[in-house]
Amino acid sequence: MKKYDYLIVGAGLFGAVFAHEARKAGRKCLVIDRRDSTGGNIRCESIEGINVHKYGAHIFHTDKKEVWKYVTRLVEMNRFTNSPVANFNGRLYNLPFNMNTFYQLWGTRTPAEAEEMLKKQRAEYASIECPANFEEQALKLCGRDIYETLIKGYTEKQWGRPARELPAEIIKRVPVRMTFDNNYFNDQYQGIPEGGYNRLIDALLEGTETILQLDFFSRRDELCSLADKIVFTGRIDKYFDYRAGRLEYRSLRFDTKVIDTPNFQGNAVVNYTSADVPYTRIIEHKHFEYGTQPKTVITYEYPATWSEGLEPYYPVNNERNNAIAAEYRQMARSMGNVIFGGRLGQYAYFDMDDTVDEALKLAEKEMGN
């Protein structure tokens, strides 16, 4: 008999939710992670008494009532509302695109005035019937002012290539609100765990055997022999030894500083949308939890070209990568005892609520067997 029912590779949100459900169902699990801490990319680090989001800003938001109830049974959530600000050449604009943004851009004061300006802006590109790239699609959707001020530079930094070289399907629509509402998300539920995300992960993994600083690939055969099934949340292409080719990712670099002031920018997230600023945003972590500490901690977030040894944050969902990923998913379906989950295991962009939902569905399917 195997020692464990499940070997869960990756102590991030997907693996932790699955482990929690499996343990409740009486299954024995071993969770491993190559990092020296649990939580994956939602891990927090306490600096100056502030919960710092080590791997970028994470705001839990969902329209899925059952997912919200699931999370709030484990931790208390605060009432944080994501209302980012964009800085373009020193001028500030509210996001998402709403009546505040239009007033800042054009001085419009009513929805009718804003609609008229948008209509004029779009009319210039009405002749583009089939946009050939991201830039043409964005111009057709929102016109020149919004595109050049708030979209173009940010997007080119994020993806590391000119907008004219990006596929049009990346931007299928531009959300526009004719209200003075700066809430970035339309979801009904939103917040941050009180005390940080570590509390959520600790609650999920409580009672489950966890080994850190253990690379699955360094002891693959030995580890696979320990469990009846494997839940793998790492890179699917690496699991299959790149047989169908290497998938592309985008990475991030973070520069975190302690500032001897109680308030640096007055907001949790400020995006920098001009191309000549190398970072995409500055995060001021204390504002996620309404901190009153005498100092503050900020993080400059820089997009980076991914290479081996860096963290793969975002899948690059272009035609080439989607075709390769489809081949790996076909291989995965033939694996009787290995299940692939999470962003890297499924090569898909998941928000946190999607990750929880996917892990719960998998656990329900597995525990029903």
Side-chain angles (χ1 to χ4, degrees), residues 258-328:
V258 176
I259 308 293
D260 192 9
T261 181
N263 193 350
F264 176 76
Q265 64 186 16
N267 205 50
V269 180
V270 176
N271 291 352
Y272 284 77
T273 59
S274 53
D276 58 344
V277 177
Y279 43 86
T280 49
R281 58 184 178 174
I282 298 177
I283 302 163
E284 188 168 7
H285 302 270
K286 72 190 306 178
H287 295 308
F288 290 127
E289 300 183 60
Y290 313 104
T292 57
Q293 297 87 349
K295 296 183 181 181
T296 194
V297 180
I298 64 170
T299 297
Y300 295 83
E301 187 172 304
Y302 297 82
T305 300
W306 180 83
S307 61
E308 205 68 48
L310 297 178
E311 289 296 333
Y313 286 94
Y314 304 109
V316 180
N317 293 125
N318 58 21
E319 189 175 339
R320 173 194 172 274
N321 287 300
N322 290 340
I324 292 172
E327 289 190 55
Y328 285 125

Side-chain angles (χ1 to χ4, degrees), residues 97-99 101-102 105-106 108 110-125 138-147 174-178:
F97 309 139
N98 65 58
M99 288 298 297
T101 323
F102 306 142
L105 278 167
W106 305 314
T108 54
T110 68
E113 290 175 356
E115 290 275 17
E116 185 62 26
M117 280 298 298
L118 282 167
K119 184 179 177 181
K120 287 179 181 178
Q121 292 268 312
R122 291 166 175 154
E124 187 179 347
Y125 304 97
L139 287 167
K140 186 176 176 65
L141 288 169
C142 64
R144 183 172 299 280
D145 288 351
I146 291 175
Y147 174 66
V174 175
V176 169
R177 288 193 192 140
M178 290 299 155

Side-chain angles (χ1 to χ4, degrees), residues 1-183:
M1 289 182 63
K2 304 274 183 152
K3 188 175 180 181
Y4 301 97
D5 295 300
Y6 293 96
L7 169 70
I8 300 166
V9 182
L13 188 57
F14 188 98
V17 169
F18 183 87
H20 185 74
E21 294 304 296
R23 186 183 62 80
K24 285 197 305 184
R27 307 300 202 273
K28 191 172 183 184
C29 300
L30 172 64
V31 177
I32 66 168
D33 201 289
R34 60 180 174 77
R35 292 179 177 174
D36 61 2
S37 59
T38 58
N41 290 345
I42 66 171
R43 185 74 186 175
C44 291
E45 177 184 13
S46 181
I47 302 175
E48 297 290 335
I50 298 165
N51 289 311
V52 172
H53 296 207
K54 285 185 68 175
Y55 303 100
H58 285 82
I59 297 100
F60 200 97
H61 59 96
T62 187
D63 257 342
K64 300 171 179 134
K65 188 174 183 178
E66 290 306 311
V67 168
W68 183 255
K69 286 170 64 178
Y70 181 83
V71 171
T72 53
R73 280 195 294 265
L74 295 163
V75 291
E76 291 284 338
M77 302 289 279
N78 72 13
R79 58 175 181 81
F80 178 81
T81 299
N82 189 29
S83 303
V85 172
N87 183 315
F88 179 74
N89 294 336
R91 293 186 62 84
L92 300 179
Y93 301 87
N94 289 106
L95 298 174
F97 309 139
N98 65 58
M99 288 298 297
N100 289 308
T101 323
F102 306 142
Y103 176 76
Q104 291 149 357
L105 278 167
W106 305 314
T108 54
R109 291 175 171 82
T110 68
E113 290 175 356
E115 290 275 17
E116 185 62 26
M117 280 298 298
L118 282 167
K119 184 179 177 181
K120 287 179 181 178
Q121 292 268 312
R122 291 166 175 154
E124 187 179 347
Y125 304 97
S127 61
I128 302 174
E129 292 186 11
C130 297
N133 53 57
F134 178 96
E135 179 162 286
E136 289 187 0
Q137 178 75 307
L139 287 167
K140 186 176 176 65
L141 288 169
C142 64
R144 183 172 299 280
D145 288 351
I146 291 175
Y147 174 66
E148 292 190 345
T149 305
L150 300 171
I151 297 176
K152 177 178 166 59
Y154 188 93
T155 301
E156 291 182 341
K157 289 187 289 187
Q158 192 75 8
W159 293 103
R161 63 189 67 179
R164 289 181 179 179
E165 295 178 13
L166 292 168
E169 57 265 23
I170 289 180
I171 184 167
K172 295 179 180 175
R173 69 185 191 92
V174 175
V176 169
R177 288 193 192 140
M178 290 299 155
T179 61
F180 291 89
D181 180 6
N182 298 322
N183 181 359

Side-chain angles (χ1 to χ4, degrees), residues 141-367:
L141 288 169
C142 64
R144 183 172 299 280
D145 288 351
I146 291 175
Y147 174 66
E148 292 190 345
T149 305
L150 300 171
I151 297 176
K152 177 178 166 59
Y154 188 93
T155 301
E156 291 182 341
K157 289 187 289 187
Q158 192 75 8
W159 293 103
R161 63 189 67 179
R164 289 181 179 179
E165 295 178 13
L166 292 168
E169 57 265 23
I170 289 180
I171 184 167
K172 295 179 180 175
R173 69 185 191 92
V174 175
V176 169
R177 288 193 192 140
M178 290 299 155
T179 61
F180 291 89
D181 180 6
N182 298 322
N183 181 359
Y184 194 77
F185 301 117
N186 289 317
D187 295 328
Q188 183 175 357
Y189 308 103
Q190 184 174 175
I192 305 277
E194 292 187 0
Y197 283 98
N198 296 359
R199 290 187 177 179
L200 174 60
I201 293 296
D202 290 347
L204 288 167
L205 290 176
E206 184 178 1
T208 298
E209 186 178 350
T210 303
I211 301 175
L212 301 175
Q213 294 182 288
L214 176 54
D215 184 351
F216 170 78
F217 294 102
S218 68
R219 293 166 57 183
R220 182 171 182 160
D221 291 341
E222 175 191 350
L223 290 166
C224 288
S225 71
L226 295 176
D228 291 323
K229 283 191 174 182
I230 299 163
V231 176
F232 185 81
T233 69
R235 287 161 45 207
I236 191 170
D237 57 344
K238 186 172 183 179
Y239 185 91
F240 288 109
D241 299 316
Y242 311 109
R243 267 182 264 167
R246 289 178 180 265
L247 291 166
E248 292 179 276
Y249 306 86
R250 288 292 289 167
S251 191
L252 296 169
R253 179 173 65 83
F254 303 102
D255 182 13
T256 298
K257 302 177 184 294
V258 176
I259 308 293
D260 192 9
T261 181
N263 193 350
F264 176 76
Q265 64 186 16
N267 205 50
V269 180
V270 176
N271 291 352
Y272 284 77
T273 59
S274 53
D276 58 344
V277 177
Y279 43 86
T280 49
R281 58 184 178 174
I282 298 177
I283 302 163
E284 188 168 7
H285 302 270
K286 72 190 306 178
H287 295 308
F288 290 127
E289 300 183 60
Y290 313 104
T292 57
Q293 297 87 349
K295 296 183 181 181
T296 194
V297 180
I298 64 170
T299 297
Y300 295 83
E301 187 172 304
Y302 297 82
T305 300
W306 180 83
S307 61
E308 205 68 48
L310 297 178
E311 289 296 333
Y313 286 94
Y314 304 109
V316 180
N317 293 125
N318 58 21
E319 189 175 339
R320 173 194 172 274
N321 287 300
N322 290 340
I324 292 172
E327 289 190 55
Y328 285 125
R329 292 188 192 107
Q330 183 63 37
M331 294 179 199
R333 283 190 282 272
S334 69
M335 303 289 290
N337 68 329
V338 185
I339 305 161
F340 296 84
R343 274 191 187 188
L344 302 182
Q346 293 172 264
Y347 197 71
Y349 185 90
F350 289 141
D351 284 326
M352 284 184 287
D353 66 325
D354 300 322
T355 300
V356 172
D357 195 37
E358 288 285 318
L360 288 174
K361 287 176 181 175
L362 174 61
E364 183 178 8
K365 179 181 175 184
E366 284 293 307
M367 301 316 131

